[in-house]
Amino acid sequence: MSALAGKLEDFRAGITAIDCDYVRPRLAASHLVVDAGRAAFVDTGTTRSLPNLLHALDAKGIDRDDVDWVLTTHVHLDHAGGAGALMRALPNARCAVHPRGARHLVDPEKLIAGSIAVYGEERYRALYGEIAPIDASRVFVAEDGARIRLGARELELIHTPGHALHHYCVVDAANDLIFSGDTFGISYRDFDVDGRAFIFPTTTPVHFDPQALCESVDRLMAYGPRSMFLTHYAEVTELERLARELKERVIAFADLGLRYRDARDRTDKLRHGMFAMMSAWLDAHGYPSDDARRHWLLDEDVELNCQGIEVWLDRK
Ligand SMILES: [Zn+2]
């Protein structure tokens, strides 16, 4: 058995979650979808995730020629940073991207600069490595409601602003499931208690829009799915509860921002307030009260979420 075998987890409907080895185990997934011998990846992780993705193809006995699609839900680098490197390895694949994201995958300079602004140069290099451009002729610009074929199944790509303006979700209506990227928030398996998932929104820079995000969650739920597959991380069910909690928490984050909007030490107040808020939700969820572990699992998201809320406050 290869050391990479533990990175794969199989689900229904021909879906395998692949650990992208981003930051820590089971933080970011790429999903491999196989139907009638054809395959697609939904999100790619970073360039450093590529070996795990190619290993997943080998493990499933799928030839690289048989991958038809690389579906990048949005162009944030933990979702699409590896798309260029992956496309080079897949001769027949097309990369589907939102109209607002397409030029960034063809010419990643601005994406790289934006990410360095968020993460700082050193951390950016450590996290993402090289970002390869994608030839424009291999990019499929996904308009809202675009339908694509994968083997015997049809997938619908729908625009879902709120987390990012360049975000789409992948609806697999025949299988009652949706790949939600970051639109349906974050649900790390680390926080599962007795099989119950814990969920919270991701409000990273620079497009967070609470109202649009809640409307996008409603749009996803209107399909009546049984499962969502989240990039962070993999399958969740019990969707009525999670959608309700997610929307409540979007509003709670926005209200937190408004409360400290004009505070002199706004950044500090937001960070402490958000961690305290999430800690209270974890208490209610029945998660052990181990503060060090909570910080280890949440600090990165608290930091990015607060940055995104400040961008939103300054834009309003
Ligand atoms: Zn994102």
Side-chain angles (χ1 to χ4, degrees):
M1 290 282 274
S2 128
L4 287 169
K7 310 280 185 191
L8 307 183
E9 191 176 353
D10 289 332
F11 295 92
R12 67 187 179 90
I15 296 165
T16 302
I18 307 159
D19 195 326
C20 289
D21 281 336
Y22 179 72
V23 180
R24 67 167 186 264
R26 299 210 293 178
L27 185 140
S30 167
H31 288 97
L32 174 65
V33 189
V34 178
D35 193 300
R38 310 304 299 182
F41 287 99
V42 183
D43 285 338
T44 67
T46 74
T47 300
R48 301 191 191 286
S49 313
L50 183 64
N52 293 12
L53 274 55
L54 296 179
H55 165 74
L57 289 180
D58 293 343
K60 295 289 153 196
I62 301 292
D63 199 279
R64 293 181 192 185
D65 292 345
D66 296 333
V67 179
D68 291 332
W69 292 104
V70 170
L71 305 175
T72 53
T73 61
H74 60 305
V75 302
H76 288 163
L77 291 182
D78 50 329
H79 299 255
L86 181 61
M87 287 294 287
R88 286 184 182 173
L90 306 173
N92 297 324
R94 275 184 295 168
C95 179
V97 57
H98 189 287
R100 296 186 67 126
R103 68 193 170 94
H104 295 302
L105 295 191
V106 173
D107 176 13
E109 282 313 309
K110 209 178 151 201
L111 208 57
I112 293 168
S115 298
I116 290 175
V118 171
Y119 290 99
E121 177 101 30
E122 194 181 340
R123 182 136 175 82
Y124 167 84
R125 300 269 169 234
L127 284 174
Y128 301 113
E130 292 300 313
I131 309 285
I134 301 174
D135 195 292
S137 66
R138 303 183 67 195
V139 170
F140 172 80
V141 177
E143 299 297 339
D144 188 29
R147 288 167 191 274
I148 62 171
R149 185 147 290 281
L150 174 68
R153 107 177 50 177
E154 185 179 69
L155 301 172
E156 184 186 6
L157 311 182
I158 60 166
H159 292 185
T160 56
H163 171 77
L165 285 169
H166 43 80
H167 201 300
Y168 68 80
C169 292
V170 182
V171 180
D172 180 347
N175 289 299
D176 299 315
L177 63 89
I178 297 174
F179 297 94
S180 59
D182 280 348
T183 300
F184 204 75
I186 287 176
S187 178
Y188 297 131
R189 302 282 57 82
D190 304 82
F191 288 129
D192 287 353
V193 174
D194 300 330
R196 295 175 80 250
F198 176 75
I199 203 157
F200 61 95
T202 161
T203 65
T204 49
V206 292
H207 292 151
F208 171 57
D209 176 338
Q211 194 185 337
L213 187 49
C214 289
E215 286 168 6
S216 288
V217 169
D218 286 340
R219 186 175 184 195
L220 296 181
M221 290 302 288
Y223 284 86
R226 277 194 290 139
S227 321
M228 296 278 183
F229 285 86
L230 283 53
T231 302
H232 317 284
Y233 187 96
E235 185 182 40
V236 293
T237 56
E238 239 197 305
L239 297 182
E240 292 293 337
R241 171 179 69 86
L242 293 180
R244 187 184 67 245
E245 290 178 350
L246 183 60
K247 288 191 291 178
E248 286 169 3
R249 291 166 186 188
V250 169
I251 303 304
F253 281 178
D255 285 347
L256 180 75
L258 293 172
R259 189 181 322 150
Y260 295 128
R261 175 184 207 151
D262 301 315
R264 226 177 317 144
D265 48 351
R266 181 171 86 175
T267 302
D268 269 2
K269 283 222 158 58
L270 276 179
R271 277 202 195 92
H272 287 110
M274 185 176 291
F275 183 82
M277 197 175 254
M278 289 171 78
S279 239
W281 297 336
L282 280 170
D283 289 341
H285 180 62
Y287 188 77
S289 53
D290 176 343
D291 242 29
R293 183 162 171 83
R294 289 182 181 192
H295 275 290
W296 183 67
L297 290 168
L298 289 177
D299 278 358
E300 186 114 357
D301 288 306
V302 167
E303 170 66 30
L304 291 173
N305 278 353
C306 289
Q307 283 187 27
I309 285 169
E310 291 205 77
V311 171
W312 169 68
L313 288 171
D314 292 340
R315 194 173 62 229
K316 267 171 75 76

